[in-house]
C-alpha cells in the first residue's frame, strides 16, 4: 500500500496563522517520491483526494457530501475551500504587474526597510586607490506596515449543501477569491498614492489641461521616471476609456495586442491595468520592479472546526496582507482633475 494511503488526517494538521494542510502532508508524503509513477504531478493534497476518490472538477465531479464519508476525508474539506479561493485570487490577480517582492510573515507586525538614496548616492563613481567607497545606508522604517484582513463568511447548513456539485461550489469559492484580489489591488493603489505611513506618498504631477487626459500627459508621466522605467499604468474606468480611444493606441504594437488578446498595453510599452474602484481623475504610473512590497501573513485561511464537524453554518475564509513602498520615486500620480 502506498504511503499516502496510510496517513491519518486530522484537524491538528492545520497550523495556526493560516497555513494549510498541504505543507504538513508533503512532509509526511513527499511528492519527489512519486517521480516516474502515475501519480507524478500531483501534490500531497491531490493524492489524498485520489485516495478517497473525490473529484472536484469536471462533469463527473462529486457532491459536497463525498468529503464527509470518513473523518479523514472531512479533514480535507477546509483545504479544498482555501485552494478554490486562492484559485479565484490568481485568476483575477494583477499584482504581479505591480509588486516587486512578496514577504511572508508569521505575525502581524512588520517594518519594511528604509532606502531613499539620491541619484548621486546610487551612482557608482570611480574610486581612487585608498579612497573611501561611497555608502548606501539601509535602515528600518519608523512605522509598522498596516495589514488588512479580508474575508467572507460562508453560510449554509450541511443539509443544504450536501448534494451540491463540487465544480459549481468551486465557482462560488473562486468568486470570493476574485473579490479578495480586487480589494488587494485597492490596498496597493492606496499605498502607492498615500504611502505606507512613513511619509512616502507619491509625487503628484498635473495634466496639461485640467479635466482632459492626453497622450502628451502620458509622455510626461513616462519622462519623470528616470532612472526607473514606467512599466505599469493603473487607471479608473473613465481614464482607461480615454487611453483606449487615443489615436496612438491604434499603432501596430499596442493596438494589435489589445485587439488580439485583450491585454491593454500602451504605446509607451507600459501595461495598462483597469482599476474600477480607483477614484476618477488620476492615473498612476510605476516601475513594478522597484515600487511595492507585498506583505502576507499566512495563506488563505479557512476556519475548519465547524466544517469538519459537518456544521457549515458559519465558516469563514480570510486573507491577511498589506503593502509597503520600497523606492518612493518608482511610482508617481498624474492628476487630471474634474
Amino acid at each position: 500500500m502506498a504511503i499516502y494511503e496510510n496517513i491519518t488526517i486530522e484537524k491538528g494538521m492545520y497550523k495556526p496563522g493560516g497555513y494549510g494542510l498541504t505543507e504538513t502532508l508533503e512532509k509526511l508524503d513527499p511528492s519527489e517520491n512519486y517521480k516516474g509513477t502515475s501519480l507524478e504531478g500531483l501534490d500531497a493534497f491531490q493524492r489524498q483526494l485520489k485516495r478517497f476518490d473525490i473529484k472536484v472538477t469536471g462533469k463527473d465531479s462529486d457532491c459536497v457530501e463525498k468529503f464527509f464519508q470518513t473523518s479523514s476525508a472531512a479533514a480535507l474539506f477546509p483545504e479544498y475551500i482555501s485552494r478554490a479561493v486562492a484559485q479565484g485570487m490568481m485568476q483575477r490577480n494583477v499584482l504581479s504587474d505591480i509588486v516587486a517582492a512578496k514577504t511572508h510573515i508569521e505575525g502581524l507586525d512588520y517594518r519594511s526597510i528604509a532606502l531613499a538614496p539620491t541619484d548621486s548616492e546610487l551612482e557608482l563613481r570611480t574610486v581612487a586607490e585608498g579612497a573611501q567607497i561611497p555608502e548606501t545606508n539601509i535602515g528600518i522604517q519608523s512605522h509598522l506596515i498596516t495589514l488588512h484582513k479580508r474575508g467572507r463568511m460562508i453560510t449554509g447548513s450541511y443539509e443544504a449543501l450536501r448534494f451540491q456539485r463540487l465544480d459549481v461550489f468551486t465557482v462560488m469559492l473562486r468568486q470570493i477569491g476574485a473579490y479578495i484580489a480586487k480589494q488587494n489591488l485597492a490596498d496597493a493603489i492606496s499605498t502607492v498614492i498615500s504611502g505606507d505611513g512613513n511619509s512616502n506618498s507619491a509625487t503628484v504631477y498635473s495634466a496639461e489641461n485640467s479635466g482632459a487626459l492626453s497622450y502628451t500627459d502620458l509622455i510626461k508621466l513616462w519622462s519623470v521616471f528616470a532612472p526607473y522605467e514606467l512599466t505599469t499604468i493603473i487607471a479608473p474606468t473613465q481614464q482607461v476609456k480615454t487611453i483606449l480611444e487615443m489615436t496612438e493606441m491604434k499603432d501596430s504594437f499596442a493596438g494589435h495586442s489589445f485587439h488580439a488578446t485583450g491585454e491593454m498595453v500602451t504605446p509607451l510599452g507600459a501595461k495598462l491595468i483597469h482599476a474600477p474602484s480607483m477614484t476618477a481623475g488620476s492615473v498612476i504610473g510605476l516601475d513594478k520592479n522597484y515600487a511595492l512590497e507585498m506583505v502576507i501573513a499566512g495563506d488563505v485561511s479557512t476556519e475548519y472546526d465547524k466544517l469538519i464537524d459537518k456544521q457549515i453554518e458559519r465558516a469563514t475564509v480570510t486573507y491577511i496582507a498589506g503593502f509597503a513602498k520600497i523606492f518612493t520615486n518608482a511610482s508617481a500620480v498624474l492628476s487630471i482633475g474634474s
Side-chain angles (χ1 to χ4, degrees), residues 154-210:
I154 301 173
T155 61
S157 66
Y158 170 68
E159 288 75 16
L161 294 175
R162 61 180 297 188
F163 296 118
Q164 179 63 61
R165 292 286 179 181
L166 287 169
D167 56 349
V168 178
F169 193 45
T170 299
V171 172
M172 184 202 73
L173 296 173
R174 287 204 305 262
Q175 183 67 353
I176 293 175
Y179 275 99
I180 293 176
K182 178 182 177 181
Q183 192 58 57
N184 282 339
L185 174 60
D187 292 339
I189 290 171
S190 176
T191 300
V192 170
I193 296 174
S194 304
D196 56 22
N198 289 285
S199 301
N200 51 5
S201 58
T203 302
V204 179
Y205 299 88
S206 298
E208 190 174 62
N209 297 307
S210 179

Side-chain angles (χ1 to χ4, degrees), residues 21-312:
L21 176 69
T22 301
E23 185 179 274
T24 303
L25 290 176
E26 282 289 347
K27 291 179 180 179
L28 298 172
D29 181 35
S31 293
E32 61 185 21
N33 294 342
Y34 295 88
K35 290 182 179 179
T37 72
S38 60
L39 298 177
E40 183 177 8
L42 301 180
D43 63 26
F45 174 75
Q46 292 169 327
R47 286 191 292 276
Q48 291 300 317
L49 292 181
K50 183 175 180 63
R51 169 189 177 184
F52 294 104
D53 192 30
I54 300 174
K55 302 180 183 66
V56 298
T57 60
K59 64 182 182 64
D60 296 324
S61 65
D62 292 305
C63 296
V64 169
E65 68 173 354
K66 189 69 175 287
F67 272 102
F68 297 96
Q69 291 185 334
T70 67
S71 59
S72 287
L76 298 174
F77 194 55
E79 181 73 358
Y80 151 74
I81 289 181
S82 296
R83 284 187 171 219
V85 172
Q87 287 174 10
M89 292 175 62
M90 291 302 299
Q91 288 176 351
R92 294 289 298 272
N93 184 25
V94 297
L95 294 178
S96 60
D97 296 303
I98 299 175
V99 172
K102 290 184 179 180
T103 301
H104 293 263
I105 63 174
E106 295 190 8
L108 294 177
D109 294 338
Y110 180 79
R111 279 185 172 87
S112 185
I113 60 173
L115 181 61
T118 63
D119 290 346
S120 61
E121 290 174 328
L122 286 174
E123 183 181 351
L124 299 181
R125 299 186 299 274
T126 301
V127 180
E129 183 177 351
Q132 183 177 356
I133 297 177
E135 297 179 353
T136 297
N137 182 51
I138 300 176
I140 299 295
Q141 294 284 21
S142 300
H143 299 286
L144 294 171
I145 301 305
T146 301
L147 300 180
H148 300 279
K149 185 175 183 179
R150 310 292 184 189
R152 178 69 61 178
M153 182 79 70
I154 301 173
T155 61
S157 66
Y158 170 68
E159 288 75 16
L161 294 175
R162 61 180 297 188
F163 296 118
Q164 179 63 61
R165 292 286 179 181
L166 287 169
D167 56 349
V168 178
F169 193 45
T170 299
V171 172
M172 184 202 73
L173 296 173
R174 287 204 305 262
Q175 183 67 353
I176 293 175
Y179 275 99
I180 293 176
K182 178 182 177 181
Q183 192 58 57
N184 282 339
L185 174 60
D187 292 339
I189 290 171
S190 176
T191 300
V192 170
I193 296 174
S194 304
D196 56 22
N198 289 285
S199 301
N200 51 5
S201 58
T203 302
V204 179
Y205 299 88
S206 298
E208 190 174 62
N209 297 307
S210 179
L213 174 64
S214 67
Y215 187 65
T216 301
D217 295 322
L218 295 182
I219 294 295
K220 178 181 180 179
L221 186 63
W222 167 84
S223 68
V224 302
F225 268 81
Y228 301 103
E229 180 183 358
L230 178 61
T231 65
T232 308
I233 294 175
I234 310 172
T237 302
Q238 183 55 52
Q239 276 64 58
V240 168
K241 290 170 63 178
T242 300
I243 293 173
L244 293 178
E245 291 170 355
M246 289 178 179
T247 302
E248 291 79 6
M249 272 300 292
K250 300 173 184 177
D251 71 11
S252 58
F253 174 71
H256 178 269
S257 176
F258 179 59
H259 292 303
T261 67
E263 182 177 346
M264 297 179 289
V265 178
T266 69
L268 303 174
K271 186 167 184 178
L272 179 59
I273 293 178
H274 179 207
S277 61
M278 185 175 168
T279 302
S282 62
V283 169
I284 292 174
L286 57 82
D287 187 333
K288 69 175 183 179
N289 301 304
Y290 297 100
L292 281 179
E293 173 189 13
M294 184 176 185
V295 183
I296 304 168
D299 298 320
V300 175
S301 175
T302 303
E303 183 181 297
Y304 53 80
D305 283 323
K306 292 183 179 179
L307 289 175
I308 293 175
D309 295 334
K310 301 185 182 181
Q311 298 172 8
I312 318 176

